[in-house]
Amino acid sequence: MTTQTRTQSLLVALGDVVGQSHLLTDAAKKQPYCKGFRFGSGEALAVVRPGTLVEIWRVLSLCVEADVAVIMQAANTGLTGGSTPDGKDYDRPLVIISTMRIDDIQLLDEGKQIVGLAGSTLFGLEDTLAPYGREPHSVIGSSCIGASIVGGICNNSGGALVKRGPAYTEMSLYAQIDENGQLTLVNNLGIKLGDTPETILSNLENKAYTDADVEYPELRASDNEYDQRVRDVDSDTPSRFNNDGRRLHEASGCAGKLAVFAVRLDTFPIPEKKQVFYVGSNDAAMFTKIRRDILSTFKNLPDSGEYLHRDCYDVSKKYGKDMFIVISKLGAKFIPKLFAFKRKFDAFTDKLGFLPNKMSDRVMQYFSYLFPNHLPARMEAYRDRYQHHWILEMSNDGVDEARAYLTQFFKDNEGDFFECTEEEADKAILHRFVAGGAIGRYHVMHSKEVGAMMTIDVALRRNDPDWFEVLPEDIDSQIDTKLYYGHLFCHVMHQNYVLKKGTDAKALKNKILETFDARSAEYPAEHNVGHEYFAKDALKSFYRQLDPTNSFNPGIGKTSKLKNWAEHDDSCCGGHH
């Protein structure tokens, strides 16, 4: 049979499983699935949108039989291109399996744990848990536009919440391709669901199990040791980063090297009282001291502590204003709809040929100028007084503890704080939330005057006193604008560099990464390697162990894209950032 006939018969068979309307082969229809949210794109033979777990299994079986590579894709909100194809240098056709139609969430033990199916989202989970007075492990982060639960686990994402750490579980249900090319289903959910793959999957999907079938094995459903880890402020390793071997386990950190059908996770009680403290200083050393004191001496850990430098504050205010207004008026749940519309609008205006690229960003930016200043007066006053801003969120008994500490601390030290009203708290958090997107917008609006933009998320050592970066002159002189924000308690910083026109971005990025290496920092910290970073050896061997034939998400972390991990002749095609 020729390759073309084989491909044709595969497409017919896939259409039979999911229905023709859920098999996309037209280039324009495939585009949203083949292009990363912020980075990366490539080609796929087809995009398949199964409607049940059993359909995913059947689609996988067909793909394995036809010897095509598979990319499992959930919300495609990754920032490093890790859930889309990358370029054209694969040795087999690629099929993308989009799981977003399968978004069921099941509650266990009165909501103390949940099972999230392949396409379930954090928004959905927050809604499901609210009546039970509980919340998910991750509360939507700065870049989340409808992110999926399974995607978070596969990339050890998030971790801004100081007590909870990155997304992690040892309980999942997944398919794996072994070294002989056989597809097998592994049920480590701790729920008795039957013996054959289709029985297991259909019983889970239809909730055909009883409380007696649910077991409580000695397996973690969250990183429940993270609170001790983050408190260890004298350790010379980072508190969390994507390459951390202690948190690579089956689905957790697999980066799509397994086909994950479902994960089981802990949930957390919603605190009875919360207070946000807004802290300002002109001396980075003040924040170093506060961080160490709180982590090592407080009885109650903070919920979160989000840092924003003044320059980033300004960019977020001007270029994140439209997103801020949309979310505060319509809610974060509107964002995925908005992004879908933006994508269509940009695809349409790009076709016209005479309009600048990213037209939707330009229109929204001009639209935002019609609205008055959206930030509270006390925050604006701190913006004028202080270059370092810290949004510190405490709950329950931690509120009084932080109040007493900060009051005492600023009697003798430079800087100040105020306690936010509920409205100020919401606005401060939202202002920090839109920073990531605002920086991208800033770059679009200034694209004529500046060079490339680089965004690096880096995890500093827990004992590194110099969290605020000062670059050597030979690097600094090539950068037009530096924009810093991050999660200060766990020392994960998001460092954004807009380069001067004509700067060699690849060479400069390597120089910046060398400065991180010299400080024993780890990167990436929470957005995973995607197609932007090299997977270090520990991560690479984890990927190879999960996927010996290299059939799932080949090329991730700049590894081989070829079957059985064969090596490319690299002389022809160097990496790119």
Side-chain angles (χ1 to χ4, degrees):
M1 205 186 331
T2 67
T3 310
Q4 202 174 358
T5 345
R6 242 201 349 254
T7 305
Q8 259 337 96
S9 62
L10 171 65
L11 291 175
V12 170
L14 291 173
D16 289 345
V17 171
V18 297
Q20 283 306 320
S21 62
H22 295 298
L23 174 70
L24 313 178
T25 52
D26 170 69
K29 290 195 172 125
K30 287 188 295 188
Q31 201 251 359
Y33 302 88
C34 290
K35 193 169 165 35
F37 166 62
R38 184 170 81 189
F39 174 88
S41 64
E43 288 173 15
L45 170 67
V47 175
V48 193
R49 302 178 62 244
T52 66
L53 296 179
V54 171
E55 283 182 10
I56 297 184
W57 175 258
R58 290 177 182 163
V59 166
L60 284 171
S61 304
L62 290 168
C63 290
V64 170
E65 205 180 315
D67 196 24
V68 301
V70 170
I71 293 179
M72 296 293 292
Q73 185 184 87
N76 190 15
T77 57
L79 297 180
T80 53
S83 48
T84 55
D86 177 57
K88 301 178 183 176
D89 49 343
Y90 295 91
D91 58 349
R92 296 151 287 173
L94 278 170
V95 168
I96 296 173
I97 301 177
S98 168
T99 61
M100 293 307 284
R101 291 176 62 210
I102 309 166
D103 59 359
D104 192 32
I105 292 167
Q106 302 175 8
L107 300 177
L108 304 177
D109 192 15
E110 297 177 333
K112 290 194 185 68
Q113 288 190 327
I114 61 105
V115 174
L117 301 196
S120 55
T121 64
L122 285 174
F123 284 142
L125 185 52
E126 278 189 64
D127 285 353
T128 307
L129 290 174
Y132 294 82
R134 299 185 77 83
E135 62 186 10
H137 158 275
S138 300
V139 178
I140 296 290
S142 58
S143 56
C144 272
I145 45 167
S148 75
I149 296 171
V150 168
I153 289 292
C154 293
N155 292 302
N156 293 130
S157 302
L161 298 180
V162 182
K163 301 171 193 175
R164 300 179 199 169
Y168 180 73
T169 186
E170 292 164 6
M171 303 169 91
S172 59
L173 172 65
Y174 59 87
Q176 187 166 26
I177 298 171
D178 67 20
E179 59 273 18
N180 306 316
Q182 293 299 307
L183 183 70
T184 56
L185 186 73
V186 179
N187 176 12
N188 286 341
L189 272 182
I191 303 174
K192 293 187 187 129
L193 294 163
D195 298 320
T196 65
E198 295 208 359
T199 313
I200 290 171
L201 294 167
S202 117
N203 282 343
L204 176 64
E205 186 134 42
N206 299 314
K207 301 195 185 79
Y209 58 88
T210 64
D211 288 350
D213 296 319
V214 179
E215 301 163 333
Y216 293 88
E218 287 290 302
L219 293 171
R220 294 195 169 89
S222 62
D223 185 352
N224 58 3
E225 305 166 319
Y226 183 75
D227 52 347
Q228 293 122 325
R229 191 174 169 81
V230 79
R231 280 185 181 280
D232 184 2
V233 290
D234 292 315
S235 168
D236 54 10
T237 59
S239 53
R240 62 183 176 96
F241 53 99
N242 286 124
N243 186 42
D244 184 359
R246 63 186 271 287
R247 286 300 169 250
L248 298 174
H249 182 89
E250 296 172 358
S252 294
C254 74
K257 285 294 187 184
L258 300 170
V260 182
F261 290 90
V263 292
R264 179 168 164 183
L265 298 174
D266 291 333
T267 68
F268 300 85
I270 295 173
E272 281 152 42
K273 81 170 176 183
K274 274 191 166 185
Q275 178 61 52
V276 169
F277 299 91
Y278 199 95
V279 188
S281 176
N282 287 312
D283 182 354
M286 293 300 118
F287 283 8
T288 306
K289 179 146 177 48
I290 295 173
R291 171 184 173 270
R292 282 184 68 91
D293 286 350
I294 289 180
L295 291 178
S296 57
T297 69
F298 272 35
K299 213 169 127 216
N300 303 279
L301 276 178
D303 291 32
S304 68
E306 295 295 288
Y307 169 76
L308 206 59
H309 183 265
R310 177 192 279 156
D311 295 344
C312 193
Y313 179 109
D314 291 347
V315 163
S316 193
K317 177 182 170 180
K318 182 171 180 180
Y319 297 95
K321 183 180 184 176
D322 54 319
M323 198 51 70
F324 183 104
I325 291 166
V326 165
I327 296 171
S328 53
K329 298 280 181 273
L330 300 171
K333 292 190 183 51
F334 184 72
I335 306 181
K337 289 193 187 80
L338 179 68
F339 274 92
F341 175 74
K342 269 179 67 145
R343 224 179 222 152
K344 284 183 182 141
F345 183 82
D346 284 339
F348 169 72
T349 54
D350 286 351
K351 273 194 196 127
L352 298 176
F354 58 87
L355 289 166
N357 68 338
K358 305 254 173 128
M359 196 59 200
S360 62
D361 278 295
R362 296 168 195 275
V363 171
M364 286 169 73
Q365 187 56 36
Y366 290 120
F367 179 67
S368 74
Y369 296 150
L370 304 173
F371 289 88
N373 185 0
H374 54 293
L375 297 178
R378 288 205 286 180
M379 269 171 69
E380 291 283 75
Y382 267 49
R383 182 257 162 238
D384 294 341
R385 281 168 65 190
Y386 301 116
Q387 65 161 324
H388 301 296
H389 295 234
W390 199 359
I391 304 159
L392 177 60
E393 189 171 359
M394 302 295 297
S395 59
N396 299 342
D397 295 346
V399 174
D400 294 337
E401 198 174 9
R403 180 183 294 128
Y405 169 83
L406 291 169
T407 305
Q408 194 52 46
F409 183 86
F410 286 117
K411 279 182 183 161
D412 314 314
N413 291 288
E414 186 272 334
D416 206 352
F417 80 101
F418 65 86
E419 288 189 41
C420 295
T421 63
E422 209 169 311
E423 187 189 355
E424 285 171 331
D426 290 345
K427 288 188 168 179
I429 291 164
L430 185 50
H431 182 57
R432 157 64 187 87
F433 176 102
V434 299
I439 292 167
R441 169 75 56 79
Y442 169 85
H443 189 245
V444 169
M445 298 305 289
H446 291 269
S447 53
K448 284 202 168 72
E449 311 93 81
V450 296
M453 176 172 87
M454 293 185 319
T455 57
I456 302 177
D457 60 310
V458 59
L460 306 175
R461 302 188 321 267
R462 282 169 278 175
N463 64 355
D464 192 337
D466 304 316
W467 58 270
F468 186 67
E469 181 176 70
V470 180
L471 287 167
E473 176 53 31
D474 63 315
I475 296 180
D476 209 39
S477 59
Q478 301 180 61
I479 299 172
D480 179 85
T481 315
K482 298 188 296 265
L483 299 163
Y484 296 134
Y485 63 93
H487 317 294
L488 208 49
F489 285 112
C490 51
H491 261 189
V492 167
M493 303 302 293
H494 297 284
Q495 315 214 133
N496 303 268
Y497 311 93
V498 178
L499 310 186
K500 290 181 176 165
K501 227 179 178 43
T503 299
D504 178 342
K506 198 178 149 194
L508 191 66
K509 182 170 192 173
N510 290 334
K511 276 186 158 179
I512 291 173
L513 294 180
E514 279 166 19
T515 69
F516 295 159
D517 293 339
R519 299 171 63 186
S520 306
E522 291 276 356
Y523 51 86
E526 59 181 18
H527 295 156
N528 220 343
V529 287
H531 289 290
E532 245 192 305
Y533 296 92
F534 284 93
K536 293 187 180 171
D537 291 343
L539 203 51
K540 222 184 279 189
S541 57
F542 177 62
Y543 292 161
R544 289 186 76 142
Q545 170 207 333
L546 295 180
D547 181 21
T549 62
N550 202 20
S551 303
F552 282 124
N553 211 359
I556 197 77
K558 296 188 186 285
T559 55
S560 165
K561 291 180 178 171
L562 310 181
K563 191 170 175 174
N564 297 321
W565 300 89
E567 287 304 325
H568 266 290
D569 172 14
D570 273 341
S571 55
C572 65
C573 29
H576 55 278
H577 95 270

